[in-house]
Amino acid sequence: MEQTQTKRIVLGITGGIAAYKAAELARLLVKQGISVQVAMTEAACHFITPATMQALTGRPVLVDQWDAADNGMAHIAASRVAEAIVIAPATADFIAKLAHGLADDLLSTMCLARDCPLLVAPAMNKQMWANAATQRNVRQLIADGVQVLGPDSGVQACGEEGMGRMLEAEQLVKDIMDFLRNGKSAGTVSPIPDISVRAHEKEPSQPQTRKLSGKKILITAGPTYEAIDTVRGITNRSSGKMGYAIAQAALEMGAQVTLISGPTAITKPQGAQAVDVQSAAQMFDAVKQHLAGCDIFISVAAVADYRVAHPSAQKIKKGSGNLTLELEPNPDILAYVANLPNPPFCVGFAAESENLAEYAEQKRRAKKLPLLVGNLVQQAIGSDDNELVLFDDSGRQTLPRADKLTLARLLMQRIAQRKKGALQ
Ligand code: CTP
C-alpha cells in the first residue's frame, strides 16, 4: 500500500448519471488508504444513496447545509483537514456554479470556502460539454487554478456518442494519487497551487515565451492528393488549418519551422520554410530530406493510406461498364520517423469518428509515439475550432474546445514542457 494513509479527501458528488461511478471511485480510494469524506448535492441523492457512500467510506455523508454536524460548520471544517476536494461527477450546472462562485448548498459552499485544491471530473451530454457557456466556465475554472480531469469521449447514457463521459474510476484514482503525491503534503495547508497544467494548460497569452528558440521542428499538414489520371485524384477534407496553426505557434516560441504541406487554400505562416507537395510519396521524400537535425516531428497531415497503383498518364475516357481502381499502400511517414534509431520527439494525430480513446491509444502504441493528439473528425475537419485529447504514457488530457490557434499554442507549450530536459 502507498504511503498515503494519513491523506484525506472530500469526494463531492453532484447529480448526474455518472454518480454511480463515484461508488467505485470511493471504494478504490479507500483501498489506497485514503480517508474519504463524501459530500453530496441533493440531486446526487436521486442517483446514488448516501447510505451506499457511507457504507463504502465508513463515514457519514454530508448533504444538508442546515445539518448540525460540526456545529453547522461542515462547509468550513471538511476542507480544513482535506488534501483536496474532488468533484466527481461534476455536472454542467455545478461547474457553472463553481465558475461563478455560487454557494447555495453544502457542497458549493464548501468549494467556495475551501483552503485546499479543487479537482473536478466533468460528466455530461456532449452538447452540454460543447456548449459555449460550459466551455467558458471550464476555462474560468482552469484560470482559477482548478484541475479539470477529463472528460472522456464515448457512448453516453443518453445514447449519443461524443465528449462528456466522466473518466473511469481507475483513471481518476490514478490522477488523484498522482496529485496527492506531487501536490501538498499531509497535514500542511498550502495555497491553491497552479495545477491546471496537468489536465489543461492555461491559455497562453501572446507573445509566447521563446521556449523553443533554436529548436528545429518539422511539421506535415493538410491532405495528400493521389492522382488517378492527369485531372482526377483521391484526396480528403483536411483543410491544413491545424497544422498551419501549430507551425504558427512553434514560430512564436522561437522554433525554426519547416512546414511540409499537401494542397491547401490557406496562407503559410510567415517565417516557416514551406515545402509544397501533392502525394504521400512526395511528402515522404520531403520529410526524409528535411529530417536531419530535427528536434521535434509533428505529423498533422491527413496522409492517404493508399495510392492508385497505376495512375494514367492521360485523362481516362468514360467507358460503358464499371471502372476498377487498384490501390496500393502508401508508406507510413510517421511510423518511419518514429522508428528511426535516434528519432526526434514524434507527435502524431488521430482523427477518429468513434471510439476516440481506444483507437488513439492503439495508434500511439503501434507507432511508438511519446505523444498522440486525438480528435473527433465530426468536430474537427474544416472547422475553425476543435477539441483535442492528448494521449501519453501518463494517460490522457483534454484541451477544451477553442479556436485552432489557441489549441496549437497550448499543444506547443505541452510539447516544449515534455521535451524541456531532452532539448536543453
Ligand atoms: N500518417 C503518416 N503516414 C501515413 C498515414 C498516417 O504519417 N501514411 C500519420 C498522420 O499524419 C497522423 C497519424 O499518422 O499523425 C495517423 O495515424 P494512422 O493510424 O495512419 O491514422 P489513419 O490513417 O487515420 O488510420 P485509420 O485510417 O486506420 O484510422
Side-chain angles (χ1 to χ4, degrees):
M1 189 175 292
E2 308 200 27
Q3 297 300 306
T4 49
Q5 283 87 341
T6 55
K7 299 204 172 175
R8 181 181 295 201
I9 66 156
V10 172
L11 174 59
I13 308 176
T14 67
I17 184 67
Y20 78 90
K21 292 188 190 172
E24 179 66 354
L25 175 59
R27 191 184 73 79
L28 294 174
L29 286 169
V30 168
K31 211 170 145 195
Q32 293 284 335
I34 306 290
S35 167
V36 180
Q37 171 64 65
V38 173
M40 296 170 68
T41 62
E42 234 177 87
C45 300
H46 289 279
F47 291 93
I48 188 165
T49 68
T52 303
M53 298 311 298
Q54 175 166 355
L56 289 168
T57 60
R59 303 176 73 87
V61 171
L62 303 169
V63 178
D64 184 1
Q65 65 178 328
W66 307 115
D67 197 318
D70 286 309
N71 293 326
M73 291 291 164
H75 63 290
I76 306 286
S79 81
R80 295 298 179 268
V81 290
E83 303 300 312
I85 298 178
V86 180
I87 309 292
T91 59
D93 177 67
F94 199 78
I95 286 172
K97 274 189 188 176
L98 290 174
H100 291 87
L102 298 184
D104 63 354
D105 63 6
L106 179 66
L107 187 56
S108 54
T109 311
M110 198 183 277
C111 290
L112 197 63
R114 77 187 192 280
D115 67 347
C116 63
L118 178 62
L119 290 75
V120 301
M124 66 197 74
N125 165 270
K126 65 173 185 180
Q127 298 297 354
M128 294 169 87
W129 173 252
N131 189 289
T134 304
Q135 291 298 312
R136 206 166 45 236
N137 291 333
V138 170
R139 266 174 226 273
Q140 184 58 55
L141 292 190
I142 293 165
D144 292 345
V146 173
Q147 181 166 354
V148 181
L149 306 173
D152 201 353
S153 107
V155 178
Q156 308 199 305
C158 54
E160 293 184 350
E161 187 163 352
M163 204 50 86
R165 271 164 64 103
M166 188 169 90
L167 294 182
E168 293 303 328
E170 291 78 11
Q171 179 67 44
L172 286 174
V173 171
K174 194 170 164 290
D175 289 346
I176 294 165
M177 297 306 291
D178 279 355
F179 170 75
L180 290 178
R181 265 190 292 272
N182 305 323
K184 78 176 187 180
S185 57
T188 62
V189 177
S190 53
I192 298 167
D194 178 9
I195 52 175
S196 57
V197 286
R198 283 193 57 254
H200 295 278
E201 282 134 315
K202 276 191 171 175
E203 192 174 316
S205 53
Q206 263 199 298
Q208 295 247 32
T209 49
R210 297 177 72 80
K211 281 188 202 152
L212 291 173
S213 203
K215 305 303 174 212
K216 203 176 153 196
I217 302 190
L218 186 58
I219 299 169
T220 64
T224 56
Y225 177 90
E226 307 298 330
I228 297 173
D229 63 18
T230 44
V231 293
R232 305 181 184 96
I234 300 173
T235 186
N236 59 65
R237 289 173 54 212
S238 167
S239 65
K241 285 177 190 165
M242 194 68 222
Y244 281 41
I246 288 171
Q248 169 72 37
L251 287 163
E252 288 171 8
M253 292 172 79
Q256 187 191 323
V257 176
T258 303
L259 177 61
I260 299 175
S261 173
T264 72
I266 53 177
T267 314
K268 303 264 169 6
Q270 268 217 331
Q273 183 189 357
V275 181
D276 287 327
V277 297
Q278 298 272 317
S279 65
Q282 289 169 355
M283 188 172 273
F284 190 30
D285 285 344
V287 165
K288 285 191 282 192
Q289 211 180 322
H290 291 87
L291 204 52
C294 165
D295 298 295
I296 299 171
F297 175 56
I298 310 177
S299 183
V300 198
V303 185
D305 289 327
Y306 297 92
R307 65 174 169 239
V308 179
H310 308 290
S312 169
Q314 302 301 331
K315 186 178 169 216
I316 300 173
K317 299 309 282 180
K318 181 167 53 187
S320 52
N322 293 349
L323 173 69
T324 305
L325 285 176
E326 189 191 340
L327 302 180
E328 62 187 14
N330 269 325
D332 190 318
I333 303 169
L334 176 58
Y336 166 84
V337 176
N339 287 277
L340 286 171
N342 280 313
F345 185 82
C346 285
V347 181
F349 269 70
E352 305 294 346
S353 58
E354 57 178 355
N355 298 335
L356 175 63
E358 189 192 333
Y359 291 159
E361 186 54 23
Q362 267 171 17
K363 278 181 191 174
R364 190 178 82 84
R365 287 177 194 282
K367 299 196 191 195
K368 299 197 179 83
L369 306 175
L371 181 63
L372 185 127
V373 183
N375 57 44
L376 287 168
V377 273
Q378 304 89 304
Q379 300 184 357
I381 288 209
S383 161
D384 284 333
D385 59 5
N386 197 2
E387 176 173 284
L388 301 179
V389 188
L390 313 190
F391 297 83
D392 62 15
D393 282 341
S394 64
R396 76 190 82 145
Q397 295 103 35
T398 301
L399 301 181
R401 179 162 282 281
D403 64 274
K404 287 181 175 172
L405 185 55
T406 301
L407 286 173
R409 287 176 178 148
L410 288 171
L411 178 63
M412 283 316 302
Q413 274 204 339
R414 177 99 194 146
I415 292 171
Q417 223 173 44
R418 285 193 54 107
K419 279 303 296 166
K420 200 174 164 205
L423 285 178
Q424 273 168 351

